[in-house]
Amino acid sequence: MLIDLNGMVGIVTGVGKGIGKEIILTLAREGVKTVGIDVYQDDLDQLAQEFKEQGLEGLFFECDVSDSARISEVINETMQKYGRIDLLVNNAGVAGNGEVETLAEEVWDYCHDVNLKGTYMMCQSVIPIMKQQQFGRIINSASFAAIIPSIGSAAYASSKAGVKQFSRVLAGELGPWNITVNSYAAGMIPTTLNHFSELPQEQQERLLDSLTLRRWGEKKDIAQLICFLASDLAGYITGTLIDVSGGKFATQFPKVAYE
């Protein structure tokens, strides 16, 4: 049984670094005609060079996912080039930490504008296209924070919980057109956003103690899930949040099994 994504057209947001970069490179290697979106042109230029060196196909656009006018331009250019959009991966996200009592309004707004509003606007932009095709795959990045939040993460956790419920509603609305919508909850995967692997050793040990599989996740763990959800093998999976956290708090004290 093989996952076959050849010929699909897929858009991925937040591709400049980290998980998003791994997702778009993996999809391209699997034969997807990829469209990458990021807010940093320098990162896009570097990614485009990697695509060229590896002989991969892709378009790259500087775009803020909270800018509806720019999103429309990107979608129009994608349709002019490829004539269809089969896959949308809303990976772009930002952190927004701080206790509620002192949390700046600007931090709250920024976090929700990118994580939740950006997801909504990207989805809205591809819905008419996917409906006309009678096919589509939408995959949204939630977070383990949408399952169990952390102290000081009200802005981030609420935005990601919103993504989870938004995805369920959208799945219900788009089911009649053979369009699936799912979200995923990444666990502790070291990136430039969270710096998990750079923390003092004692803090790392405390975090790892919460995992059933007591190791950091890898970016490829998410990319491989995306490939599965984008494929025909996942055609009957929709409206769900998939936990990709190594079994974080699957039991109350996972570290007991390692003692």
Side-chain angles (χ1 to χ4, degrees), residues 14-80:
V15 297
K17 292 184 175 72
I19 294 173
K21 184 174 183 178
E22 184 75 15
I23 289 170
I24 196 168
L25 282 167
T26 301
L27 288 172
R29 291 173 188 139
E30 293 295 319
V32 178
K33 300 172 183 176
T34 53
V35 179
I37 292 174
D38 202 273
V39 292
Y40 297 111
Q41 187 62 53
D42 288 348
D43 289 340
L44 288 172
D45 292 341
Q46 183 176 342
L47 180 59
Q49 181 61 33
E50 291 185 43
F51 264 65
K52 182 178 179 181
E53 292 171 356
Q54 297 182 40
L56 302 174
E57 181 172 359
L59 297 176
F60 305 97
F61 297 98
E62 184 178 359
C63 174
D64 183 335
V65 295
S66 63
D67 182 346
S68 59
R70 180 58 179 148
I71 290 171
S72 294
E73 292 174 352
V74 170
I75 296 302
N76 288 337
E77 290 192 47
T78 299
M79 289 299 291
Q80 289 174 15

Side-chain angles (χ1 to χ4, degrees), residues 23 53 63 75 90 110 115 143 154 167 201 241 248:
I23 289 170
E53 292 171 356
C63 174
I75 296 302
N90 282 304
Y110 179 53
N115 296 349
S143 167
S167 300
Q201 191 61 36
L241 172 72
K248 188 172 184 179

Side-chain angles (χ1 to χ4, degrees), residues 102-128:
T102 56
L103 185 65
E105 182 179 350
E106 293 78 11
V107 173
W108 177 274
D109 288 344
Y110 179 53
C111 199
H112 285 79
D113 279 350
V114 175
N115 296 349
L116 185 53
K117 184 180 177 182
T119 297
Y120 141 70
M121 289 200 298
M122 287 299 304
C123 289
Q124 189 177 59
S125 70
V126 303
I127 288 171

Side-chain angles (χ1 to χ4, degrees), residues 86-152:
D86 302 294
L87 169 66
L88 169 63
V89 182
N90 282 304
N91 166 78
V94 296
N97 297 322
E99 294 188 5
V100 173
E101 183 179 7
T102 56
L103 185 65
E105 182 179 350
E106 293 78 11
V107 173
W108 177 274
D109 288 344
Y110 179 53
C111 199
H112 285 79
D113 279 350
V114 175
N115 296 349
L116 185 53
K117 184 180 177 182
T119 297
Y120 141 70
M121 289 200 298
M122 287 299 304
C123 289
Q124 189 177 59
S125 70
V126 303
I127 288 171
I129 297 164
M130 291 183 173
K131 277 187 172 181
Q132 186 173 15
Q133 296 169 177
Q134 295 280 305
F135 177 84
R137 298 280 191 266
I138 296 175
I139 307 169
N140 297 326
S141 173
S143 167
F144 194 82
I147 302 171
I148 303 176
S150 301
I151 299 287

